[in-house]
């Protein structure tokens, strides 16, 4: 039988240039934000916020401009968890401005990702992450005692969500924590009917509806919503909801618990593309801590009002179709580039090698705002006006927090637990 042999691959001219280019593109993961900030998250989750901020500064000093929004969001969250409310808001406002600027898509950048991968594009944030910038700002303003500014942020979140649902036809529900916070602020301002409306909207989407039964019952009665009051009373006959006494106030503890889910590599069917069609999927990062809150002899488990882990999955699933379409387009472009390299060099082997290397670089974007909590939990108390100590226990560790409650007012305490 006659033997045959292929000519050796010669990496010169256009071929050498093409191969060098694809090798450069495939090395993009070396600057991956998630890997570079691992030490930041370790310090953050230990409550060492000074070290977390220093590590973030160090890890991002030489980082690419494509990660700038993530840097700002992480810094804002760390400052928020540290109780540096004003500093956190200053950074988050800057992040919000940058996010708005990045909403205009760069055609040249999108074209570049067709022959590289999604990690090469500027991170613009998931839809829910952009909304969370305003939620955190609202919580910061509440802690600073600026209820009007907090309400501006709450309204902004809800208006954006309504636009997404009504105009963009996205299957997003409103963030219950934003509605709940709006109810707390309006109740504190004695706007009873508006407070009831916000609580009711939070109730519609909260995973643990019973957490909102008490303020709903009390305010439905106070606002004269007799039909709704009767309906709620039939549903929750054993929930005490007497009007506050003249010398009583309330304490609402907002616990940001657990770790936001992390993006990992996943795959979806691509009409024959098989394993070439890779997309990000969210994976949970451990259990959310059960949090117990005690105040003046009363003790209760904090109840989940919003699961960001669930919200993240809904938002990502909504855009999977667009990601798949882009990946298919990317595969076609890369096949064209590889064919061009083979034609220019008159070497089909080099064309095949180019296609393989380009697809080796075909990685989904796994960046996300990992310093966010997995859940927003709340605990609510009625107490005599005056000075009190709130005790919060999670994973066997208890911390104490002083709070001053005025007659007829609501004191809010925001805490981070991992």
């Amino acid at each position: 039988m006659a033997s045959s042999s292929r000519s050796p691959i010669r990496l010169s001219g256009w071929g050498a240039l093409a191969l060098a280019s694809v090798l450069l593109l495939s090395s993009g993961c070396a600057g991956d934000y998630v890997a570079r900030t691992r030490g930041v998250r370790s310090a953050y989750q230990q409550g060492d916020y000074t070290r977390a901020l220093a590590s973030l500064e160090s890890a991002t000093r030489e980082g690419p401009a494509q990660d700038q929004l993530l840097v700002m969001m992480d810094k804002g969250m760390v400052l928020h968890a540290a109780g540096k409310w004003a500093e956190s808001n200053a950074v988050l406002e800057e992040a919000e401005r940058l996010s708005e600027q990045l909403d205009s898509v760069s055609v040249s950048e999108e074209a570049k990702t067709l022959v590289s991968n999604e990690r090469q594009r500027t991170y613009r944030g998931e839809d829910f992450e952009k909304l969370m910038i305003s939620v955190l700002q609202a919580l910061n303003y509440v802690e600073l005692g600026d209820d009007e500014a907090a309400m501006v942020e709450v309204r902004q979140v809800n208006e954006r969500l309504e636009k997404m649902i009504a105009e963009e036809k996205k299957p997003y529900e409103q963030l219950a924590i934003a509605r709940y916070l709006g109810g707390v602020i309006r109740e504190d301002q004695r706007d009873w009917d508006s407070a009831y409306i916000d609580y009711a909207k939070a109730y519609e989407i909260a995973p643990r509806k019973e957490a909102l039964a008490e303020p709903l019952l009390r305010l439905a009665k106070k606002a004269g919503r007799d039909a709704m009051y009767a309906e709620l009373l039939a549903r929750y006959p054993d929930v005490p909801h007497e009007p506050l006494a003249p010398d009583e106030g309330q304490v609402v503890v907002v616990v940001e618990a657990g770790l936001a889910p992390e993006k990992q590599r996943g795959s979806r069917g691509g009409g024959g593309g098989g394993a070439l069609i890779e997309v990000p999927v969210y994976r949970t990062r451990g259990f959310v801590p059960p949090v117990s809150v005690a105040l003046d002899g009363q003790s209760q488990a904090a109840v989940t009002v919003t699961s960001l882990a669930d919200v993240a999955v809904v938002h990502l699933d909504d855009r999977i179709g667009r990601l798949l379409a882009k990946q298919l387009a990317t595969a076609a472009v890369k096949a064209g580039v590889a064919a061009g390299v083979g034609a220019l060099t008159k070497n089909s082997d080099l064309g095949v090698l180019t296609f393989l290397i380009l697809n080796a670089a075909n990685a989904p974007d796994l960046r996300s705002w990992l310093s966010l909590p997995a859940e927003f939990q709340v605990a609510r108390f009625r107490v005599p006006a005056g000075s009190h100590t709130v005790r919060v226990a999670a994973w066997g560790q208890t911390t104490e927090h002083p709070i001053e409650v005025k007659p007829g007012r609501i004191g809010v305490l925001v805490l981070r637990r991992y």
Side-chain angles (χ1 to χ4, degrees):
M1 183 173 65
S3 62
S4 62
S5 61
R6 293 178 178 268
S7 60
I9 297 174
R10 303 180 188 281
L11 303 182
S12 60
W14 281 103
L17 178 61
L19 186 56
S21 298
V22 297
L23 285 172
L24 178 63
L25 291 171
S26 68
S27 67
C29 60
D32 181 58
Y33 180 83
V34 176
R36 284 188 290 110
T37 55
R38 190 169 289 114
V40 177
R41 293 191 297 281
S42 176
Y44 170 66
Q45 291 160 27
Q46 294 171 29
D48 190 345
Y49 302 125
T50 300
R51 182 162 63 91
L53 289 168
S55 297
L56 182 62
E57 178 69 24
S58 176
T60 59
R61 189 178 298 116
E62 304 300 327
Q66 291 96 321
D67 295 333
Q68 188 58 34
L69 180 60
L70 271 172
V71 173
M72 291 179 182
M73 293 192 301
D74 274 334
K75 185 176 181 180
M77 184 68 216
V78 175
L79 288 167
H80 170 84
K84 297 183 177 181
W85 318 115
E87 293 176 54
S88 173
N89 264 351
V91 175
L92 291 172
E93 285 170 12
E94 191 176 353
E96 190 167 46
R97 285 194 295 271
L98 178 58
S99 174
E100 292 171 356
Q101 294 170 11
L102 293 176
D103 278 343
S104 57
V105 177
S106 167
V107 175
S108 61
E109 185 177 60
E110 290 300 311
K112 183 178 71 173
T113 62
L114 289 175
V115 292
S116 58
N117 60 59
E118 288 292 308
R119 293 184 183 182
Q120 305 302 315
R121 74 199 300 266
T122 299
Y123 189 76
R124 295 181 175 85
E126 298 288 350
D127 284 341
F128 82 94
E129 291 176 345
K130 298 173 189 177
L131 296 168
M132 285 309 305
I133 293 174
S134 289
V135 171
L136 291 177
Q137 286 179 291
L139 290 167
N140 287 338
Y141 281 125
V142 167
E143 283 282 12
L144 290 168
D146 191 343
D147 287 353
E148 293 302 323
M151 277 307 306
V152 169
E153 299 299 333
V154 167
R155 282 194 294 269
Q156 186 166 282
V157 171
N158 295 324
E159 287 169 3
R160 284 179 181 174
L161 277 165
E162 288 167 2
K163 181 179 179 181
M164 288 177 183
I165 295 168
E167 297 180 18
E168 300 172 23
K169 307 303 180 185
K170 294 180 178 179
Y172 300 165
E173 293 293 346
Q174 294 158 327
L175 290 168
I177 185 60
R179 288 294 189 182
Y180 185 85
L181 188 59
V184 170
I185 294 169
R186 286 182 162 127
E187 182 183 353
D188 190 53
Q189 296 174 336
R190 294 170 170 77
D191 186 353
W192 312 123
D193 197 64
S194 295
Y196 169 83
I197 291 171
D198 275 339
Y199 284 136
K201 288 183 177 178
Y203 175 83
E204 291 174 7
I205 55 177
R208 296 286 300 277
K209 297 183 183 301
E210 65 274 15
L212 283 81
E214 188 276 335
L216 269 179
L217 280 160
R218 183 164 40 80
L219 291 179
K221 187 172 185 179
K222 196 172 188 68
R225 291 177 173 264
D226 297 335
M228 288 307 305
Y229 175 70
E231 183 180 325
L232 288 163
L233 188 60
R235 195 174 301 166
Y236 302 103
D238 301 322
V239 174
H241 56 278
E242 296 80 9
L244 293 175
D247 62 342
E248 274 190 312
Q250 298 179 77
V251 172
V252 172
V253 181
V254 179
V255 184
E256 299 160 351
L259 304 173
E262 183 174 10
K263 287 177 184 173
Q264 295 181 359
R265 285 189 179 205
S267 61
R268 295 288 182 97
L276 295 179
I277 309 301
E278 288 196 347
V279 294
V281 294
Y282 276 112
R283 299 282 185 256
T284 57
R285 289 192 291 159
F287 294 104
V288 178
V291 180
S292 176
V293 184
L295 176 59
D296 286 2
Q298 307 174 62
S299 181
Q300 58 180 273
V303 178
T304 303
V305 170
T306 295
S307 168
L308 276 190
D310 292 342
V311 170
V313 171
V314 170
H315 282 236
L316 184 58
D317 281 350
D318 176 58
R319 68 180 184 91
I320 283 296
R322 296 190 295 278
L323 286 173
L324 286 172
K326 186 172 181 181
Q327 285 283 46
L328 287 169
T330 298
V333 169
K334 289 176 179 179
V337 170
V341 170
L344 285 169
T345 61
K346 298 181 180 180
N347 189 321
S348 61
D349 285 342
L350 183 57
V352 172
L353 180 60
T354 300
F355 182 71
L356 292 174
I357 292 175
L358 281 169
N359 276 294
N362 185 28
D365 188 356
L366 303 182
R367 292 172 294 178
S368 63
W369 192 357
L370 289 173
S371 53
L372 285 172
E375 293 181 358
F376 284 89
Q377 303 175 358
V378 299
R380 190 173 188 127
F381 301 87
R382 294 166 56 139
V383 294
S387 300
H388 299 270
T389 299
V390 178
R391 294 177 175 81
V392 181
W395 297 136
Q397 294 185 335
T398 301
T399 56
E400 296 187 347
H401 309 269
I403 191 166
E404 187 74 22
V405 182
K406 298 178 181 179
R409 303 297 299 276
I410 304 175
V412 178
L413 181 65
V414 182
L415 301 169
R416 185 74 172 93
R417 290 295 179 270
Y418 310 96

